[in-house]
Amino acid sequence: AEHMETINRETLQADFDAFDISEEFGFLLEEPLVSFIVTFSFLITIDIFCLYSLCRMSLMPVLIPNLLNDHRELSLAHLALGFISMGYVWQEGQHAPAQVLPKALAVPYWLISRRLGLPPILTYADSVLSNWKLRDPTGNMEIGNMDLIFSFPGGESCRGFFIVSLLVELAASSGIGALEVMHAMKSSDVAGIQNGLVKVTQSLKKMKETFKLMHSKFKLNLSPIFVSGWRDNPMLPNGLLYEGVSTEPMFLSGGSAAQSSAIQCFDALLCIQHEDETGAFLTRMRDYMPPAHCQLIETLSARPSLRDLILSCSSSDLCQAYNSCVSAMVDLRSYHLYAVQKYIIGPGNHTMGCPLRGVGTMLNDKGTGGSNLMGFLKGVCNTTKKALISERPSVPRENVMSFNI
């Protein structure tokens, strides 16, 4: 047993390395840099909201990021340029967005994005997974000790939104049990599959409880225009031109929770199949995730179906573990739906840029109303419910372990 434990730990560590995740931090970037040693340091030291005028942009040098080699340096540069670019595009508000991103921003942003395998726009991975630091480096990762590297106007409300989102992602770290399920399936280890599902269930429950902090500790009064993208956006119907990069405008989606690597990993593990436009949209959102995270989702998706395995197995305990996990996912999505209805749609907060709002216009080109977002969230919640196994078919005992993985 001790030998098997060593093998399992070594296998899991190899997965952690391959998919750029960790047992402690999950999908979060571990210990993000907060400053540069080389020429990009001025992006950190100045007030980024002083950069949003055309005259200042024309005076900025076009920086070539050839001195940035470390992954964390590149991530910080992508984060900084993302916040500055979003501020520049939306500096005049939703009625007069910039049509062109100046080459001083566009060129280094494009080059850094290519090296990271990310698009040149502020993503969920930037603003949530990579955008954190500890006020007291010796303290714990708890809400009172967390701070952002970059933030938008909005004070504690904005800070709270992103930090709670980050802590929700941190709560997903125990959901690395998904990897345990994947490896247990290879050896037809029913107990291992069940134990992994229990860990994922616990993680999903913790994510929901952490999500509640957003509304219990912070008054949501967001002006989220700054995370709006330029795809399927009626305010930028022709996209955004990246000067010095392309002669044609680009069409890129803004950051949203649909880009959460953790949630899509759990969907893939549990074989939750989102269909038609919703499924296509969620698949496209993987282009906005770190490539290693996207690879993990695709690896889980390519495995034989866990749900089919359970349907072919007579273990009621395994079936219950699976249903508990799916139910926890339904609860998380239901609370997300409730929170959007109460705190975003209900108050009439249809201003551009809500970090939860980006999905709406991406899925529907008719407008930016909250009803589109609500339709999306209701759809993914209902699809998740359909994964529940209502009745376990009777299977002869001799077939319990006959599935091939």
Side-chain angles (χ1 to χ4, degrees), residues 134-399:
L134 296 178
R135 292 179 171 181
D136 175 6
T138 65
N140 296 324
M141 290 186 69
E142 54 190 21
I143 198 164
N145 194 38
M146 302 294 297
D147 209 347
L148 303 175
I149 301 172
F150 287 107
S151 185
F152 290 121
E156 279 297 291
S157 180
C158 181
R159 173 182 170 273
F161 183 91
F162 287 110
I163 288 180
V164 173
S165 297
L166 184 152
L167 291 174
V168 169
E169 292 291 327
L170 182 64
S173 61
S174 56
I176 299 303
L179 292 174
E180 296 182 23
V181 173
M182 184 175 71
H183 289 294
M185 288 177 66
K186 293 179 182 179
S187 56
S188 301
D189 178 4
V190 172
I193 296 171
Q194 185 174 326
N195 290 337
L197 285 172
V198 169
K199 290 183 180 180
V200 175
T201 301
Q202 293 170 342
S203 181
L204 287 165
K205 290 180 177 180
K206 187 176 180 181
M207 291 170 73
K208 177 187 172 183
E209 292 306 308
T210 305
F211 194 4
K212 291 181 179 179
L213 294 174
M214 193 176 294
H215 314 110
S216 63
K217 290 187 174 293
F218 297 94
K219 180 180 178 182
L220 287 183
N221 183 24
L222 302 172
S223 177
I225 185 172
F226 294 110
V227 296
S228 295
W230 26 95
R231 173 169 176 159
D232 299 329
N233 189 334
M235 278 160 281
L236 278 170
N238 299 317
L240 182 71
L241 183 67
Y242 285 65
E243 185 182 30
V245 173
S246 173
T247 57
E248 298 293 330
M250 297 184 189
F251 296 86
L252 297 171
S253 300
S256 81
Q259 296 169 6
S260 168
S261 305
I263 293 296
Q264 290 216 31
C265 274
F266 296 151
D267 272 349
L269 172 73
L270 299 172
C271 308
I272 297 170
Q273 301 290 331
H274 301 286
E275 299 177 350
D276 303 325
E277 195 174 12
T278 297
F281 168 73
L282 288 170
T283 298
R284 178 161 59 83
M285 287 300 97
R286 296 177 191 175
D287 295 337
Y288 296 78
M289 299 176 185
H293 296 178
C294 183
Q295 183 61 46
L296 174 55
I297 297 168
E298 293 173 355
T299 299
L300 289 168
S301 299
R303 293 289 176 183
S305 169
L306 171 63
R307 191 173 187 276
D308 287 348
L309 182 156
I310 293 170
L311 286 170
S312 70
C313 177
S314 66
S315 170
S316 59
D317 288 342
L318 182 58
C319 182
Q320 182 179 357
Y322 173 83
N323 276 343
S324 295
C325 200
V326 174
S327 295
M329 179 72 99
V330 171
D331 288 345
L332 175 62
R333 284 187 156 134
S334 296
Y335 185 77
H336 189 186
L337 179 64
Y338 158 79
V340 170
Q341 176 64 58
K342 182 172 182 179
Y343 298 101
I344 304 297
I345 306 303
N349 185 5
H350 301 310
T351 56
M352 283 293 296
C354 170
L356 296 173
R357 172 247 159 241
V359 173
T361 51
M362 292 180 217
L363 288 176
N364 192 321
D365 60 5
K366 294 181 180 179
T368 61
S371 59
N372 299 331
L373 174 57
M374 293 299 290
F376 171 80
L377 294 176
K378 288 178 181 177
V380 295
C381 191
N382 290 335
T383 302
T384 306
K385 290 178 183 177
K386 290 179 181 179
L388 289 167
I389 299 174
S390 56
E391 293 185 9
R392 181 176 53 80
S394 178
V395 178
R397 182 66 187 171
E398 61 268 20
N399 291 337

Side-chain angles (χ1 to χ4, degrees), residues 35-110:
S35 62
F36 293 103
I37 298 176
V38 294
T39 54
F40 274 71
S41 59
F42 83 99
L43 294 178
I44 303 296
T45 58
I46 62 178
D47 181 355
I48 64 173
F49 288 95
C50 291
L51 292 175
Y52 295 160
S53 68
L54 284 171
C55 60
R56 286 185 179 271
M57 284 290 99
S58 64
L59 296 175
M60 278 184 60
V62 178
L63 297 178
I64 305 300
N66 57 345
L67 294 180
L68 299 179
N69 295 310
D70 181 78
H71 177 76
R72 293 192 302 160
E73 286 184 334
L74 290 167
S75 295
L76 179 58
H78 199 268
L79 170 66
L81 289 166
F83 267 82
I84 294 171
S85 295
M86 291 309 230
Y88 178 83
V89 170
W90 298 108
Q91 61 181 306
E92 299 296 336
Q94 63 190 45
H95 301 296
Q99 306 292 313
V100 179
L101 190 66
K103 62 181 179 181
L105 291 175
V107 171
Y109 203 8
W110 171 254

